[in-house]
Amino acid sequence: MPNTEDDKLLLFLGSGFSAEFGLPTTQQLRDRLLETPGNDPEVQRREQFISKTIGEFWQEVFGWNHGCPTPSLEDHFTQIDLAANSGHHLGPHYGPRKLRAVRRMTIHRVLKLLDVRPAPSPLIDRFFRQLTERVGLTIVTTNWDIITERSLEQHHHPFNYGPDAFDSRGSAIPKQGIPILKLHGSGNWGYCDCCRNLITFALDMGKAAVHLHLFLEPDDFRLFDGGSQVADDLGDLHLRQCLACGGRWGSRVATFSYRKDLSIPVFQTIWDLARLGLQQASRWLFVGYSMPHADIEIRHLLKSAQLARMTPNNVSIEVVLKNDSAAADRYKRFFGLPDGSIFQDTLGNWIEERLSDYCR
């Protein structure tokens, strides 16, 4: 494969890629959602209250009890969003304010579970080292974690997030290096609801949205019995002033919901850049992305970008999964892929067996 300006690669990453570093998959997040992370007594009190709040929500809405299968994250967020966004109750005890509080607490919990030190992976290091030697690499990911950024930083490759971004001091961040287009947002992003600027935090802060409590509101805890003490502990630490406009910044992510909110300008810019990258790339490499039916917007993004090409079938599509026959079937039905385009034996084995030829 010649390394020319016309030979562009679109690398599309899902949660299965991050699992190679020891991070939980989407299914594991669902099963572990009521875990209580953290050791500090104040953190434990807060996280236990969040677990209790989510569990009580499941009991009333989904008839869940301890020891029973937990609701899917898609059902959890979709039921909240359909009711809260239209101003309706979900049952007699969950009005829009409570539903939005449960939503924010759940996002915080997911990010908390993702906030782990990644396990070293020499194979992934080799993967990025060889891919970044190519010209025209674009990375698109659905993950909230910052594994990709850490991997590029380790190899001294600059990267950017697509739209204009600012640091926490309000200074513009130079746009250079490999685009990392995070379709669902990121755990190290802030967002100003006034001037609509994207604020990005240094990677050494990890999941800044967790550490700065960007998804936790003291008033949310006061909506539930026994939450006042937790609210007082939280105080105003989560409040941050936007130095560009004087407003307040928080954070935004797109959840696992079937009704994702992608209407904010930052997301629109990212999705437009992803569509352009898909249209221009000669190869699409999917790693650890199962293309679930819940991702209706992404499925449309992929299909519309494919059909917008002068020759829609002139893009090489390869998929790397881990023993996921259901996902393989979705790819075959959606793109008409042959069996040889789908590798089911983990990313590590794909790197060992195919990477060198793929980058030749």
Side-chain angles (χ1 to χ4, degrees):
M1 188 190 332
N3 193 14
T4 69
E5 288 289 344
D6 295 327
D7 180 33
K8 295 181 178 180
L9 171 64
L10 191 292
L11 176 62
F12 198 111
L13 303 176
S15 65
F17 171 77
S18 298
E20 297 285 337
F21 291 87
L23 272 69
T25 63
T26 301
Q27 180 176 335
Q28 290 168 336
L29 287 172
R30 178 199 67 194
D31 295 338
R32 295 175 53 192
L33 199 63
L34 297 188
E35 286 186 7
T36 304
N39 298 315
D40 179 86
E42 183 178 309
V43 173
Q44 279 274 311
R45 182 163 54 245
R46 180 176 65 239
E47 297 300 329
Q48 287 172 357
F49 187 87
I50 290 174
S51 295
K52 174 176 174 289
T53 301
I54 295 173
E56 290 175 348
F57 173 77
W58 283 354
Q59 287 175 336
E60 176 155 340
V61 174
F62 296 103
W64 173 82
N65 285 297
H66 289 281
C68 296
T70 58
S72 71
L73 292 175
E74 289 84 1
D75 280 335
H76 174 88
F77 281 109
T78 301
Q79 297 308 314
I80 289 174
D81 292 346
L82 287 175
N85 293 346
S86 61
H88 290 90
H89 281 57
L90 194 59
H93 301 120
Y94 287 94
R97 286 186 66 199
K98 273 193 172 182
L99 290 171
R100 293 189 183 102
V102 173
R103 184 181 190 273
R104 283 189 285 264
M105 290 181 191
T106 307
I107 294 172
H108 168 84
R109 171 56 53 80
V110 170
L111 288 171
K112 189 77 172 173
L113 291 172
L114 291 173
D115 191 29
V116 298
R117 183 177 297 277
S121 176
L123 279 177
I124 302 296
D125 290 343
R126 175 186 165 192
F127 176 74
F128 272 110
R129 185 174 63 252
Q130 291 191 228
L131 287 185
T132 50
E133 291 173 356
R134 302 173 51 93
V135 172
L137 174 65
T138 297
I139 299 173
V140 176
T141 178
T142 61
N143 299 333
W144 293 347
D145 62 63
I146 54 175
I147 290 294
T148 304
E149 294 94 313
R150 290 191 187 280
S151 297
L152 293 179
E153 186 179 59
Q154 181 176 341
H155 294 288
H156 309 289
H157 286 287
F159 59 86
N160 69 86
Y161 288 120
D164 293 336
F166 301 82
D167 63 25
S168 59
R169 299 181 300 276
S171 301
I173 297 175
K175 192 182 298 184
Q176 56 185 340
I178 297 170
I180 302 178
L181 306 175
K182 309 190 83 166
L183 299 180
H184 293 163
S186 181
N188 69 319
W189 290 1
Y191 180 76
C192 178
D193 286 308
C194 181
C195 67
R196 307 183 184 187
N197 280 338
L198 174 67
I199 300 100
T200 64
F201 298 92
L203 299 186
D204 57 10
M205 285 192 66
K207 305 293 186 306
V210 170
H211 300 160
L212 301 178
H213 312 304
L214 296 184
F215 283 100
L216 297 182
E217 302 278 355
D219 287 344
D220 284 348
F221 291 89
R222 296 188 178 100
L223 296 173
F224 302 92
D225 291 341
S228 294
Q229 180 60 57
V230 179
D232 292 341
D233 290 343
L234 189 62
D236 291 331
L237 294 177
H238 71 297
L239 296 177
R240 292 293 183 271
Q241 185 178 40
C242 176
L243 298 182
C245 70
R248 171 192 155 184
W249 48 258
S251 190
R252 296 287 189 90
V253 294
T255 66
F256 302 85
S257 173
Y258 281 90
R259 187 64 66 89
K260 293 179 175 65
D261 182 9
L262 301 169
S263 61
I264 67 171
V266 165
F267 280 138
Q268 291 174 351
T269 301
I270 291 170
W271 281 65
D272 286 343
L273 291 170
R275 178 176 288 104
L276 181 63
L278 287 161
Q279 289 176 216
Q280 293 181 342
S282 60
R283 291 194 169 204
W284 298 355
L285 177 61
F286 294 87
V287 177
Y289 178 64
S290 63
M291 200 166 67
H293 291 299
D295 284 352
I296 53 176
E297 297 90 353
I298 291 179
R299 294 163 72 92
H300 181 67
L301 171 71
L302 296 172
K303 184 55 66 177
S304 61
Q306 180 191 21
L307 297 179
R309 304 168 68 92
M310 186 66 69
T311 51
N313 294 324
N314 196 30
V315 56
S316 171
I317 301 175
E318 189 155 343
V319 183
V320 182
L321 300 170
K322 183 180 181 179
N323 302 322
D324 192 340
S325 58
D329 185 66
R330 288 193 288 272
Y331 275 102
K332 291 176 185 178
R333 293 177 184 275
F334 198 72
F335 290 120
L337 297 181
D339 289 339
S341 295
I342 301 176
F343 190 84
Q344 286 273 30
D345 195 21
T346 75
L347 175 59
N349 285 324
W350 184 90
I351 292 170
E352 294 276 22
E353 298 176 20
R354 297 197 185 184
L355 178 62
S356 294
D357 287 340
Y358 193 83
C359 295
R360 185 171 298 167

